[in-house]
Amino acid sequence: MPDACILGIESSCDETGAAVVRSGQQILSNVVASQIATHQPYGGVVPELASREHLRAIVPVVRQALAEAGQTYESVDALAVTQGPGLAGALLVGISFAKALAFALEKPLIAVNHLEGHIHAVLLEQRQSGDAALQFPVLALVVSGGHTHLYLARREGDCWTYENIGRTRDDAAGEAFDKVAKLLGLGYPGGPVIDRLAPHGDPAAVKFQTSQIKHRDRRDRNLPQAEGARFDFSYSGIKTAVLRYVETENLKPSIESRRQALAGTDKPALEDYLKVCDRQTLGLVASFQRSMVEDLVAKTLAAAQEYDVQTLFVSGGVAANRELRSTFEREAGMQGLPVFFPSRSLSTDNAAMIAAAAFPKFLRKEFVAMDFSAEAGMVLK
Ligand code: KG4
Ligand code: ZN
């Protein structure tokens, strides 16, 4: 197999990433500039600010990735960039920069689907650890701030194909974590905060009903029967249930004082959060996370059984969640199903996963022409 160093660039949402990965398996560098501080005051990603921050960060981030890898613009073999899905204006920054580099350096350019990147984050580390024998079919749960998808992943030689057998009908799982955290005055992004607070509360304190999409309803009526069962998710209901609980339990005044206390604390630590969260709030947080985790794990394992898959991948920002990881490991283990996650830093957005997903395309010479553009709603096939 030819050896190739690919410079990957990622700018689909609120992280500017650049990385150099050798032959889809060895990370030489992986630099991520987070925009959390920019978006924090707004409680969510502001698209125009994201584009401006990418523009500010892209040159230094790429330079740093090359320097840390001991590479130069001239020495890399190809460039790879996220084409979509994501925020159009944010994607265009990475794409314009990658195109300019490819044109000036006369190097091939590879367009990568961000969701395929999340799946290849798992493969990258699996190859890196030398543990190459994968049993197919693989079922991949990609669970992040913008996506909750189940894909059957198949490989023929260097060609990967994906079949979507489940998606969220409304909010993505990470979006539910972020919205609930915002509602409870815990700041943005909510996933990591809820992850750290949940072990301090009683997960049985509040009873939530997660998505009520029943098994027989999972067959999309618009699809022919032959297309197989679907395993869709729905997380807007649990967010509304948390809001209703906040209203009926009259938690708004304490939420407002928490919000103000945390706004006055620079980079709050776990102790700062615990100081401003009473037992009831911690119980609510723990119960919310437990319901989310149970729903994600139950649907994924039901799909794994239905499609008789041999291996499970869980990736995307929410895959960094500790309770999700331990529950998947326990439950999949009971079914004898091997489950793989990226390390926590490769779970959230990064460019190493983009450079890794580009490698099979590099081998197939699947390069893009200079007139390609961003695809905000790009689907993975
Ligand atoms: O993959 P990612 O970095 O960006 C997207 O492609 O969306 O995922 C970000 C999402 C956010 O919603 C964030 O709250 C969530 O992942 N997240 C977590 C954790 N870390 C990040 N959710 C739960 N637990 C975590 N530890
Ligand atoms: Zn992502």
mmCIF file of all heavy atoms in Angstrom, residues 125-169:
data_model
loop_
_atom_site.group_PDB
_atom_site.id
_atom_site.type_symbol
_atom_site.label_atom_id
_atom_site.label_comp_id
_atom_site.label_asym_id
_atom_site.label_seq_id
_atom_site.Cartn_x
_atom_site.Cartn_y
_atom_site.Cartn_z
ATOM 1 N N GLU A 125 -7.976 4.954 14.867
ATOM 2 C CA GLU A 125 -7.341 4.493 16.104
ATOM 3 C C GLU A 125 -7.284 2.981 16.163
ATOM 4 O O GLU A 125 -6.377 2.409 16.749
ATOM 5 C CB GLU A 125 -8.093 5.051 17.311
ATOM 6 C CG GLU A 125 -7.801 6.530 17.446
ATOM 7 C CD GLU A 125 -8.421 7.140 18.680
ATOM 8 O OE1 GLU A 125 -9.588 6.820 18.947
ATOM 9 O OE2 GLU A 125 -7.740 7.919 19.347
ATOM 10 N N GLN A 126 -8.256 2.350 15.517
ATOM 11 C CA GLN A 126 -8.252 0.893 15.486
ATOM 12 C C GLN A 126 -7.037 0.399 14.696
ATOM 13 O O GLN A 126 -6.345 -0.508 15.107
ATOM 14 C CB GLN A 126 -9.562 0.447 14.835
ATOM 15 C CG GLN A 126 -10.096 -0.839 15.377
ATOM 16 C CD GLN A 126 -10.239 -1.836 14.254
ATOM 17 O OE1 GLN A 126 -10.047 -1.482 13.090
ATOM 18 N NE2 GLN A 126 -10.558 -3.047 14.608
ATOM 19 N N ARG A 127 -6.766 1.093 13.565
ATOM 20 C CA ARG A 127 -5.587 0.733 12.755
ATOM 21 C C ARG A 127 -4.310 1.101 13.491
ATOM 22 O O ARG A 127 -3.330 0.381 13.469
ATOM 23 C CB ARG A 127 -5.616 1.467 11.416
ATOM 24 C CG ARG A 127 -6.604 0.877 10.451
ATOM 25 C CD ARG A 127 -6.442 1.553 9.081
ATOM 26 N NE ARG A 127 -7.724 1.754 8.477
ATOM 27 C CZ ARG A 127 -8.286 2.930 8.241
ATOM 28 N NH1 ARG A 127 -7.635 4.045 8.532
ATOM 29 N NH2 ARG A 127 -9.459 3.019 7.707
ATOM 30 N N GLN A 128 -4.343 2.286 14.147
ATOM 31 C CA GLN A 128 -3.154 2.769 14.849
ATOM 32 C C GLN A 128 -2.719 1.762 15.920
ATOM 33 O O GLN A 128 -1.545 1.562 16.142
ATOM 34 C CB GLN A 128 -3.480 4.119 15.491
ATOM 35 C CG GLN A 128 -2.276 4.879 15.992
ATOM 36 C CD GLN A 128 -2.579 6.381 16.081
ATOM 37 O OE1 GLN A 128 -2.202 7.173 15.243
ATOM 38 N NE2 GLN A 128 -3.254 6.762 17.124
ATOM 39 N N SER A 129 -3.719 1.125 16.558
ATOM 40 C CA SER A 129 -3.369 0.168 17.614
ATOM 41 C C SER A 129 -3.017 -1.198 17.017
ATOM 42 O O SER A 129 -2.764 -2.154 17.745
ATOM 43 C CB SER A 129 -4.528 0.034 18.599
ATOM 44 O OG SER A 129 -5.634 -0.513 17.922
ATOM 45 N N GLY A 130 -3.027 -1.294 15.689
ATOM 46 C CA GLY A 130 -2.618 -2.533 15.022
ATOM 47 C C GLY A 130 -3.691 -3.610 15.053
ATOM 48 O O GLY A 130 -3.478 -4.732 14.615
ATOM 49 N N ASP A 131 -4.879 -3.240 15.544
ATOM 50 C CA ASP A 131 -5.963 -4.198 15.699
ATOM 51 C C ASP A 131 -6.841 -4.127 14.438
ATOM 52 O O ASP A 131 -7.915 -3.557 14.449
ATOM 53 C CB ASP A 131 -6.747 -3.790 16.962
ATOM 54 C CG ASP A 131 -7.796 -4.797 17.336
ATOM 55 O OD1 ASP A 131 -7.796 -5.873 16.736
ATOM 56 O OD2 ASP A 131 -8.612 -4.482 18.224
ATOM 57 N N ALA A 132 -6.349 -4.696 13.343
ATOM 58 C CA ALA A 132 -6.958 -4.410 12.046
ATOM 59 C C ALA A 132 -8.141 -5.311 11.665
ATOM 60 O O ALA A 132 -8.931 -4.941 10.816
ATOM 61 C CB ALA A 132 -5.900 -4.464 10.956
ATOM 62 N N ALA A 133 -8.257 -6.482 12.273
ATOM 63 C CA ALA A 133 -9.289 -7.422 11.821
ATOM 64 C C ALA A 133 -10.673 -6.986 12.292
ATOM 65 O O ALA A 133 -11.018 -7.125 13.455
ATOM 66 C CB ALA A 133 -8.965 -8.815 12.334
ATOM 67 N N LEU A 134 -11.446 -6.456 11.382
ATOM 68 C CA LEU A 134 -12.798 -5.975 11.708
ATOM 69 C C LEU A 134 -13.809 -6.952 11.145
ATOM 70 O O LEU A 134 -13.675 -7.401 10.010
ATOM 71 C CB LEU A 134 -13.043 -4.641 11.015
ATOM 72 C CG LEU A 134 -12.933 -3.339 11.783
ATOM 73 C CD1 LEU A 134 -13.496 -2.232 10.920
ATOM 74 C CD2 LEU A 134 -13.655 -3.399 13.110
ATOM 75 N N GLN A 135 -14.834 -7.255 11.925
ATOM 76 C CA GLN A 135 -15.888 -8.126 11.434
ATOM 77 C C GLN A 135 -17.005 -7.268 10.850
ATOM 78 O O GLN A 135 -17.484 -6.347 11.512
ATOM 79 C CB GLN A 135 -16.441 -8.979 12.580
ATOM 80 C CG GLN A 135 -15.406 -9.883 13.248
ATOM 81 C CD GLN A 135 -14.919 -10.988 12.318
ATOM 82 O OE1 GLN A 135 -15.717 -11.616 11.625
ATOM 83 N NE2 GLN A 135 -13.614 -11.181 12.273
ATOM 84 N N PHE A 136 -17.427 -7.577 9.635
ATOM 85 C CA PHE A 136 -18.517 -6.826 8.997
ATOM 86 C C PHE A 136 -19.800 -7.657 9.040
ATOM 87 O O PHE A 136 -19.718 -8.877 9.123
ATOM 88 C CB PHE A 136 -18.146 -6.498 7.550
ATOM 89 C CG PHE A 136 -17.127 -5.404 7.464
ATOM 90 C CD1 PHE A 136 -15.769 -5.699 7.526
ATOM 91 C CD2 PHE A 136 -17.521 -4.082 7.348
ATOM 92 C CE1 PHE A 136 -14.833 -4.687 7.463
ATOM 93 C CE2 PHE A 136 -16.585 -3.062 7.276
ATOM 94 C CZ PHE A 136 -15.236 -3.367 7.337
ATOM 95 N N PRO A 137 -20.997 -7.059 8.926
ATOM 96 C CA PRO A 137 -21.214 -5.620 8.810
ATOM 97 C C PRO A 137 -20.971 -4.870 10.124
ATOM 98 O O PRO A 137 -21.112 -5.437 11.201
ATOM 99 C CB PRO A 137 -22.682 -5.509 8.392
ATOM 100 C CG PRO A 137 -23.317 -6.776 8.816
ATOM 101 C CD PRO A 137 -22.254 -7.827 8.839
ATOM 102 N N VAL A 138 -20.592 -3.588 9.943
ATOM 103 C CA VAL A 138 -20.385 -2.699 11.083
ATOM 104 C C VAL A 138 -21.610 -1.791 11.192
ATOM 105 O O VAL A 138 -22.111 -1.300 10.180
ATOM 106 C CB VAL A 138 -19.120 -1.836 10.845
ATOM 107 C CG1 VAL A 138 -19.029 -0.709 11.867
ATOM 108 C CG2 VAL A 138 -17.857 -2.691 10.892
ATOM 109 N N LEU A 139 -22.095 -1.596 12.414
ATOM 110 C CA LEU A 139 -23.146 -0.602 12.639
ATOM 111 C C LEU A 139 -22.507 0.583 13.344
ATOM 112 O O LEU A 139 -21.851 0.409 14.370
ATOM 113 C CB LEU A 139 -24.274 -1.184 13.501
ATOM 114 C CG LEU A 139 -25.418 -0.218 13.826
ATOM 115 C CD1 LEU A 139 -26.208 0.146 12.576
ATOM 116 C CD2 LEU A 139 -26.357 -0.818 14.878
ATOM 117 N N ALA A 140 -22.656 1.794 12.759
ATOM 118 C CA ALA A 140 -22.050 2.988 13.350
ATOM 119 C C ALA A 140 -23.126 3.951 13.819
ATOM 120 O O ALA A 140 -23.984 4.363 13.042
ATOM 121 C CB ALA A 140 -21.146 3.668 12.319
ATOM 122 N N LEU A 141 -23.075 4.284 15.111
ATOM 123 C CA LEU A 141 -23.936 5.342 15.646
ATOM 124 C C LEU A 141 -23.103 6.618 15.649
ATOM 125 O O LEU A 141 -22.071 6.685 16.301
ATOM 126 C CB LEU A 141 -24.379 5.008 17.078
ATOM 127 C CG LEU A 141 -25.084 6.141 17.834
ATOM 128 C CD1 LEU A 141 -26.455 6.466 17.247
ATOM 129 C CD2 LEU A 141 -25.238 5.795 19.328
ATOM 130 N N VAL A 142 -23.545 7.613 14.861
ATOM 131 C CA VAL A 142 -22.862 8.913 14.854
ATOM 132 C C VAL A 142 -23.761 9.873 15.618
ATOM 133 O O VAL A 142 -24.872 10.185 15.185
ATOM 134 C CB VAL A 142 -22.611 9.433 13.417
ATOM 135 C CG1 VAL A 142 -21.882 10.773 13.461
ATOM 136 C CG2 VAL A 142 -21.789 8.428 12.619
ATOM 137 N N VAL A 143 -23.289 10.297 16.780
ATOM 138 C CA VAL A 143 -24.164 11.040 17.685
ATOM 139 C C VAL A 143 -23.447 12.315 18.140
ATOM 140 O O VAL A 143 -22.457 12.268 18.849
ATOM 141 C CB VAL A 143 -24.620 10.103 18.835
ATOM 142 C CG1 VAL A 143 -23.485 9.559 19.665
ATOM 143 C CG2 VAL A 143 -25.645 10.740 19.712
ATOM 144 N N SER A 144 -23.952 13.464 17.631
ATOM 145 C CA SER A 144 -23.238 14.716 17.901
ATOM 146 C C SER A 144 -24.239 15.840 18.128
ATOM 147 O O SER A 144 -25.425 15.598 18.374
ATOM 148 C CB SER A 144 -22.327 15.029 16.721
ATOM 149 O OG SER A 144 -23.115 15.395 15.608
ATOM 150 N N GLY A 145 -23.749 17.083 18.020
ATOM 151 C CA GLY A 145 -24.619 18.231 18.243
ATOM 152 C C GLY A 145 -25.608 18.434 17.099
ATOM 153 O O GLY A 145 -26.689 18.994 17.280
ATOM 154 N N GLY A 146 -25.242 17.967 15.906
ATOM 155 C CA GLY A 146 -26.105 18.176 14.753
ATOM 156 C C GLY A 146 -26.709 16.890 14.214
ATOM 157 O O GLY A 146 -27.577 16.933 13.336
ATOM 158 N N HIS A 147 -26.245 15.737 14.710
ATOM 159 C CA HIS A 147 -26.630 14.466 14.077
ATOM 160 C C HIS A 147 -26.866 13.353 15.085
ATOM 161 O O HIS A 147 -26.186 13.277 16.089
ATOM 162 C CB HIS A 147 -25.523 14.003 13.122
ATOM 163 C CG HIS A 147 -25.106 15.074 12.170
ATOM 164 N ND1 HIS A 147 -25.807 15.347 11.029
ATOM 165 C CD2 HIS A 147 -24.107 15.966 12.238
ATOM 166 C CE1 HIS A 147 -25.241 16.373 10.418
ATOM 167 N NE2 HIS A 147 -24.208 16.772 11.129
ATOM 168 N N THR A 148 -27.851 12.521 14.764
ATOM 169 C CA THR A 148 -28.001 11.242 15.463
ATOM 170 C C THR A 148 -28.384 10.260 14.365
ATOM 171 O O THR A 148 -29.531 10.214 13.926
ATOM 172 C CB THR A 148 -29.111 11.317 16.543
ATOM 173 O OG1 THR A 148 -28.846 12.459 17.366
ATOM 174 C CG2 THR A 148 -29.116 10.070 17.416
ATOM 175 N N HIS A 149 -27.383 9.527 13.869
ATOM 176 C CA HIS A 149 -27.584 8.652 12.718
ATOM 177 C C HIS A 149 -27.076 7.252 13.008
ATOM 178 O O HIS A 149 -26.057 7.091 13.677
ATOM 179 C CB HIS A 149 -26.764 9.155 11.514
ATOM 180 C CG HIS A 149 -27.319 10.379 10.862
ATOM 181 N ND1 HIS A 149 -28.527 10.400 10.222
ATOM 182 C CD2 HIS A 149 -26.808 11.624 10.741
ATOM 183 C CE1 HIS A 149 -28.738 11.611 9.721
ATOM 184 N NE2 HIS A 149 -27.712 12.377 10.034
ATOM 185 N N LEU A 150 -27.779 6.275 12.449
ATOM 186 C CA LEU A 150 -27.281 4.893 12.464
ATOM 187 C C LEU A 150 -26.960 4.495 11.024
ATOM 188 O O LEU A 150 -27.824 4.601 10.147
ATOM 189 C CB LEU A 150 -28.352 3.942 13.011
ATOM 190 C CG LEU A 150 -28.485 3.860 14.536
ATOM 191 C CD1 LEU A 150 -29.721 3.057 14.909
ATOM 192 C CD2 LEU A 150 -27.242 3.250 15.180
ATOM 193 N N TYR A 151 -25.728 4.055 10.799
ATOM 194 C CA TYR A 151 -25.316 3.621 9.452
ATOM 195 C C TYR A 151 -24.821 2.185 9.495
ATOM 196 O O TYR A 151 -24.057 1.813 10.394
ATOM 197 C CB TYR A 151 -24.145 4.467 8.938
ATOM 198 C CG TYR A 151 -24.489 5.909 8.686
ATOM 199 C CD1 TYR A 151 -24.114 6.888 9.594
ATOM 200 C CD2 TYR A 151 -25.183 6.292 7.540
ATOM 201 C CE1 TYR A 151 -24.421 8.219 9.367
ATOM 202 C CE2 TYR A 151 -25.498 7.616 7.312
ATOM 203 C CZ TYR A 151 -25.121 8.579 8.229
ATOM 204 O OH TYR A 151 -25.430 9.883 8.005
ATOM 205 N N LEU A 152 -25.204 1.437 8.462
ATOM 206 C CA LEU A 152 -24.550 0.153 8.233
ATOM 207 C C LEU A 152 -23.377 0.476 7.327
ATOM 208 O O LEU A 152 -23.561 1.040 6.244
ATOM 209 C CB LEU A 152 -25.498 -0.812 7.509
ATOM 210 C CG LEU A 152 -26.611 -1.429 8.349
ATOM 211 C CD1 LEU A 152 -27.542 -2.237 7.450
ATOM 212 C CD2 LEU A 152 -26.050 -2.313 9.461
ATOM 213 N N ALA A 153 -22.175 0.176 7.782
ATOM 214 C CA ALA A 153 -20.976 0.505 6.998
ATOM 215 C C ALA A 153 -20.427 -0.769 6.374
ATOM 216 O O ALA A 153 -20.299 -1.793 7.048
ATOM 217 C CB ALA A 153 -19.936 1.151 7.905
ATOM 218 N N ARG A 154 -20.146 -0.679 5.077
ATOM 219 C CA ARG A 154 -19.610 -1.841 4.366
ATOM 220 C C ARG A 154 -18.348 -1.436 3.630
ATOM 221 O O ARG A 154 -18.185 -0.275 3.263
ATOM 222 C CB ARG A 154 -20.630 -2.390 3.363
ATOM 223 C CG ARG A 154 -21.917 -2.834 4.019
ATOM 224 C CD ARG A 154 -22.854 -3.489 3.020
ATOM 225 N NE ARG A 154 -24.069 -3.945 3.670
ATOM 226 C CZ ARG A 154 -25.179 -3.224 3.800
ATOM 227 N NH1 ARG A 154 -25.232 -1.995 3.297
ATOM 228 N NH2 ARG A 154 -26.229 -3.707 4.416
ATOM 229 N N ARG A 155 -17.461 -2.408 3.412
ATOM 230 C CA ARG A 155 -16.201 -2.096 2.739
ATOM 231 C C ARG A 155 -15.906 -3.132 1.666
ATOM 232 O O ARG A 155 -16.024 -4.333 1.919
ATOM 233 C CB ARG A 155 -15.087 -2.158 3.782
ATOM 234 C CG ARG A 155 -13.826 -1.529 3.330
ATOM 235 C CD ARG A 155 -12.767 -1.743 4.355
ATOM 236 N NE ARG A 155 -11.664 -2.375 3.677
ATOM 237 C CZ ARG A 155 -10.516 -2.667 4.249
ATOM 238 N NH1 ARG A 155 -10.334 -2.438 5.513
ATOM 239 N NH2 ARG A 155 -9.563 -3.201 3.553
ATOM 240 N N GLU A 156 -15.591 -2.639 0.484
ATOM 241 C CA GLU A 156 -15.114 -3.548 -0.567
ATOM 242 C C GLU A 156 -13.813 -2.994 -1.050
ATOM 243 O O GLU A 156 -13.784 -1.951 -1.703
ATOM 244 C CB GLU A 156 -16.113 -3.601 -1.727
ATOM 245 C CG GLU A 156 -17.089 -4.751 -1.612
ATOM 246 C CD GLU A 156 -18.045 -4.787 -2.776
ATOM 247 O OE1 GLU A 156 -17.565 -4.792 -3.926
ATOM 248 O OE2 GLU A 156 -19.263 -4.762 -2.517
ATOM 249 N N GLY A 157 -12.719 -3.626 -0.706
ATOM 250 C CA GLY A 157 -11.407 -3.073 -1.025
ATOM 251 C C GLY A 157 -11.241 -1.725 -0.342
ATOM 252 O O GLY A 157 -11.412 -1.622 0.875
ATOM 253 N N ASP A 158 -10.959 -0.694 -1.157
ATOM 254 C CA ASP A 158 -10.802 0.648 -0.581
ATOM 255 C C ASP A 158 -12.079 1.462 -0.684
ATOM 256 O O ASP A 158 -12.064 2.671 -0.487
ATOM 257 C CB ASP A 158 -9.672 1.401 -1.312
ATOM 258 C CG ASP A 158 -8.344 0.750 -1.066
ATOM 259 O OD1 ASP A 158 -8.094 0.370 0.093
ATOM 260 O OD2 ASP A 158 -7.565 0.595 -2.031
ATOM 261 N N CYS A 159 -13.164 0.804 -1.009
ATOM 262 C CA CYS A 159 -14.413 1.540 -1.190
ATOM 263 C C CYS A 159 -15.357 1.307 -0.015
ATOM 264 O O CYS A 159 -15.740 0.175 0.276
ATOM 265 C CB CYS A 159 -15.060 1.087 -2.510
ATOM 266 S SG CYS A 159 -16.462 2.103 -2.912
ATOM 267 N N TRP A 160 -15.708 2.386 0.657
ATOM 268 C CA TRP A 160 -16.630 2.316 1.786
ATOM 269 C C TRP A 160 -18.001 2.809 1.343
ATOM 270 O O TRP A 160 -18.094 3.823 0.642
ATOM 271 C CB TRP A 160 -16.133 3.198 2.936
ATOM 272 C CG TRP A 160 -14.983 2.600 3.676
ATOM 273 C CD1 TRP A 160 -13.669 2.660 3.323
ATOM 274 C CD2 TRP A 160 -15.054 1.840 4.881
ATOM 275 N NE1 TRP A 160 -12.909 1.974 4.239
ATOM 276 C CE2 TRP A 160 -13.732 1.468 5.206
ATOM 277 C CE3 TRP A 160 -16.093 1.433 5.713
ATOM 278 C CZ2 TRP A 160 -13.432 0.703 6.338
ATOM 279 C CZ3 TRP A 160 -15.789 0.677 6.837
ATOM 280 C CH2 TRP A 160 -14.474 0.308 7.145
ATOM 281 N N THR A 161 -19.063 2.091 1.758
ATOM 282 C CA THR A 161 -20.419 2.579 1.487
ATOM 283 C C THR A 161 -21.216 2.528 2.789
ATOM 284 O O THR A 161 -20.895 1.742 3.692
ATOM 285 C CB THR A 161 -21.146 1.739 0.420
ATOM 286 O OG1 THR A 161 -21.071 0.365 0.796
ATOM 287 C CG2 THR A 161 -20.554 1.925 -0.961
ATOM 288 N N TYR A 162 -22.241 3.370 2.852
ATOM 289 C CA TYR A 162 -22.998 3.512 4.091
ATOM 290 C C TYR A 162 -24.487 3.503 3.781
ATOM 291 O O TYR A 162 -24.934 4.156 2.849
ATOM 292 C CB TYR A 162 -22.633 4.836 4.773
ATOM 293 C CG TYR A 162 -21.134 4.994 4.950
ATOM 294 C CD1 TYR A 162 -20.367 5.613 3.950
ATOM 295 C CD2 TYR A 162 -20.490 4.492 6.072
ATOM 296 C CE1 TYR A 162 -18.998 5.728 4.081
ATOM 297 C CE2 TYR A 162 -19.118 4.610 6.211
ATOM 298 C CZ TYR A 162 -18.376 5.226 5.212
ATOM 299 O OH TYR A 162 -17.022 5.334 5.344
ATOM 300 N N GLU A 163 -25.231 2.765 4.635
ATOM 301 C CA GLU A 163 -26.691 2.755 4.481
ATOM 302 C C GLU A 163 -27.294 3.303 5.768
ATOM 303 O O GLU A 163 -27.032 2.770 6.855
ATOM 304 C CB GLU A 163 -27.162 1.318 4.237
ATOM 305 C CG GLU A 163 -28.652 1.207 4.055
ATOM 306 C CD GLU A 163 -29.135 -0.249 4.029
ATOM 307 O OE1 GLU A 163 -28.294 -1.166 3.868
ATOM 308 O OE2 GLU A 163 -30.342 -0.473 4.178
ATOM 309 N N ASN A 164 -28.079 4.357 5.617
ATOM 310 C CA ASN A 164 -28.689 4.955 6.800
ATOM 311 C C ASN A 164 -29.916 4.142 7.203
ATOM 312 O O ASN A 164 -30.851 3.999 6.436
ATOM 313 C CB ASN A 164 -29.076 6.419 6.516
ATOM 314 C CG ASN A 164 -29.584 7.094 7.764
ATOM 315 O OD1 ASN A 164 -30.641 6.749 8.278
ATOM 316 N ND2 ASN A 164 -28.830 8.042 8.271
ATOM 317 N N ILE A 165 -29.907 3.624 8.441
ATOM 318 C CA ILE A 165 -31.077 2.859 8.903
ATOM 319 C C ILE A 165 -31.759 3.551 10.086
ATOM 320 O O ILE A 165 -32.694 3.016 10.679
ATOM 321 C CB ILE A 165 -30.717 1.405 9.266
ATOM 322 C CG1 ILE A 165 -29.632 1.355 10.354
ATOM 323 C CG2 ILE A 165 -30.271 0.626 8.027
ATOM 324 C CD1 ILE A 165 -29.610 0.024 11.090
ATOM 325 N N GLY A 166 -31.265 4.744 10.448
ATOM 326 C CA GLY A 166 -31.897 5.485 11.543
ATOM 327 C C GLY A 166 -31.372 6.896 11.597
ATOM 328 O O GLY A 166 -30.221 7.153 11.249
ATOM 329 N N ARG A 167 -32.251 7.812 11.997
ATOM 330 C CA ARG A 167 -31.846 9.213 12.140
ATOM 331 C C ARG A 167 -32.791 9.855 13.141
ATOM 332 O O ARG A 167 -33.820 9.272 13.493
ATOM 333 C CB ARG A 167 -31.948 9.947 10.801
ATOM 334 C CG ARG A 167 -33.358 9.915 10.248
ATOM 335 C CD ARG A 167 -33.579 10.800 9.051
ATOM 336 N NE ARG A 167 -34.786 10.419 8.355
ATOM 337 C CZ ARG A 167 -36.029 10.673 8.757
ATOM 338 N NH1 ARG A 167 -36.249 11.323 9.878
ATOM 339 N NH2 ARG A 167 -37.078 10.270 8.075
ATOM 340 N N THR A 168 -32.459 11.061 13.568
ATOM 341 C CA THR A 168 -33.376 11.720 14.474
ATOM 342 C C THR A 168 -34.489 12.381 13.661
ATOM 343 O O THR A 168 -34.254 12.891 12.565
ATOM 344 C CB THR A 168 -32.670 12.746 15.375
ATOM 345 O OG1 THR A 168 -33.660 13.356 16.208
ATOM 346 C CG2 THR A 168 -31.945 13.812 14.591
ATOM 347 N N ARG A 169 -35.682 12.313 14.221
ATOM 348 C CA ARG A 169 -36.818 12.947 13.527
ATOM 349 C C ARG A 169 -36.907 14.419 13.891
ATOM 350 O O ARG A 169 -37.664 15.167 13.287
ATOM 351 C CB ARG A 169 -38.110 12.261 13.947
ATOM 352 C CG ARG A 169 -38.093 10.777 13.632
ATOM 353 C CD ARG A 169 -39.265 10.418 12.771
ATOM 354 N NE ARG A 169 -39.199 9.019 12.415
ATOM 355 C CZ ARG A 169 -40.265 8.250 12.304
ATOM 356 N NH1 ARG A 169 -41.449 8.729 12.552
ATOM 357 N NH2 ARG A 169 -40.128 7.010 11.916
#
